[in-house]
Amino acid sequence: MVIGVLALQGSFNEHIAALRRIGVKGSEIRKPEQLECLNALIIPGGESTTMAKLAEYHNLFPALREFVRAGKPVWGTCAGLIFLANKAVGQKSGGQELIGGLDCVVHRNFFGSQLQSFEIELSVPKLADNEGGTDICRGVFIRAPGILEAGPDVEVLADCPVPSDNAGPVIPGGEDLEDKILFQDRVIVAVRQGNLLGTAFHPELTSDTRWHSFFLKMVKETDEKTLQCISTSERPMENFHEKKPYDLPIFE
């Protein structure tokens, strides 16, 4: 099994190290053709605008979108979560290109500037159910996004209290989501939708590898479903020979 880590910028080395600790090979991905041999992909945290420009320069967006559409597991952390969202708000002038696929609205810089980065204990019962241990994990938020809205098919895995000194970011242009941001006291920070996993924080910067194990199980589930589809669609050769040949029309 080979898990790719998008290595344009950001904490890709930390993800590869975390995968190594659970016995999985992580491969640095920088070109579209490198996606072809992967079982799954991690899009790390970093500076989302810079990552988007580099991805566009290397013509990665079409291949990344096709990777998601093919149903292969993809995990986005922090900036990676922004990339996977169907919609991102609070962006810089001109916005940035997204991969999409995750039915949610993400605020690019929900928790404020780099100086407002923080760590907090998050309650994630699903993580404990799947991987054992306590249902508390350490969340490292570095100039982090927040998930403002999640669609009906999106499973919310964790939310986080909005810091008391954060009145809520204001969306430029007076978008209709502004009131929802200003008056909410908790914000979603981890979700799963089918083959997609998104976390607003950085599990790769902690010693807890359960998020990487959780993602690995998603990969195995996807591989098993693929094998089941292949096995049910195949016909035994003896049945094939028993069938009568088709009567094809003859055109003169």
Side-chain angles (χ1 to χ4, degrees):
M1 182 178 295
V2 180
I3 309 298
V5 183
L6 194 65
L8 300 176
Q9 188 261 350
S11 58
F12 58 89
N13 279 323
E14 287 77 6
H15 273 293
I16 290 174
L19 289 171
R20 190 183 302 119
R21 291 199 295 272
I22 61 173
V24 179
K25 179 183 178 181
S27 180
E28 296 182 10
I29 303 300
R30 296 183 177 89
K31 298 178 180 180
E33 57 268 23
Q34 293 176 311
L35 292 166
E36 296 174 3
C37 59
L38 300 180
N39 296 88
L41 179 70
I42 296 174
I43 305 176
E47 211 295 311
S48 61
T49 304
T50 301
M51 290 173 66
K53 289 179 179 179
L54 289 170
E56 186 175 2
Y57 176 80
H58 290 287
N59 196 32
L60 270 162
F61 278 107
L64 289 168
R65 293 190 185 105
E66 182 56 36
F67 196 90
V68 170
R69 282 196 295 265
K72 291 191 175 183
V74 182
W75 174 18
T77 63
C78 196
L81 166 64
I82 299 170
F83 271 98
L84 289 179
N86 281 344
K87 182 178 180 181
V89 296
Q91 300 185 71
K92 293 181 179 179
S93 178
Q96 68 181 62
E97 198 167 354
L98 303 174
I99 299 167
L102 190 59
D103 185 16
C104 62
V105 179
V106 172
H107 192 289
R108 179 181 175 273
N109 198 20
F110 183 86
F111 290 100
S113 69
Q114 193 86 4
L115 295 176
Q116 293 169 295
S117 301
F118 63 97
E119 296 184 26
I120 192 172
E121 290 188 340
L122 300 171
S123 175
V124 194
K126 188 66 174 284
L127 191 63
D129 291 344
N130 281 31
E131 307 302 324
T134 176
D135 63 354
I136 300 299
C137 76
R138 194 70 175 168
V140 179
F141 291 80
I142 302 175
R143 198 182 176 189
I147 301 171
L148 307 181
E149 290 186 349
D153 296 327
V154 177
E155 179 183 10
V156 175
L157 301 177
D159 60 16
C160 171
V162 176
S164 57
D165 60 345
N166 186 345
V170 177
I171 298 177
E175 296 192 26
D176 57 1
L177 286 169
E178 182 175 340
D179 290 339
K180 296 180 183 179
I181 299 172
L182 292 175
F183 296 105
Q184 65 186 31
D185 57 356
R186 300 188 72 85
V187 64
I188 301 168
V189 293
V191 293
R192 178 184 177 180
Q193 182 184 356
N195 60 309
L196 303 179
L197 178 65
T199 55
F201 48 96
H202 292 263
E204 76 280 8
L205 298 183
T206 73
S207 60
D208 189 348
T209 58
R210 289 183 299 165
W211 280 103
H212 290 81
S213 296
F214 183 90
F215 182 60
L216 188 62
K217 287 183 179 177
M218 287 176 54
V219 180
K220 291 178 178 177
E221 288 172 9
T222 302
D223 289 346
E224 287 172 1
K225 288 178 182 178
T226 301
L227 288 173
Q228 288 173 1
C229 290
I230 292 173
S231 63
T232 55
S233 64
E234 288 179 343
R235 292 182 301 171
M237 289 302 294
E238 58 269 24
N239 292 341
F240 176 80
H241 290 300
E242 288 172 2
K243 287 184 176 293
K244 294 181 179 180
Y246 292 105
D247 292 326
L248 299 176
I250 298 174
F251 296 94
E252 296 180 353

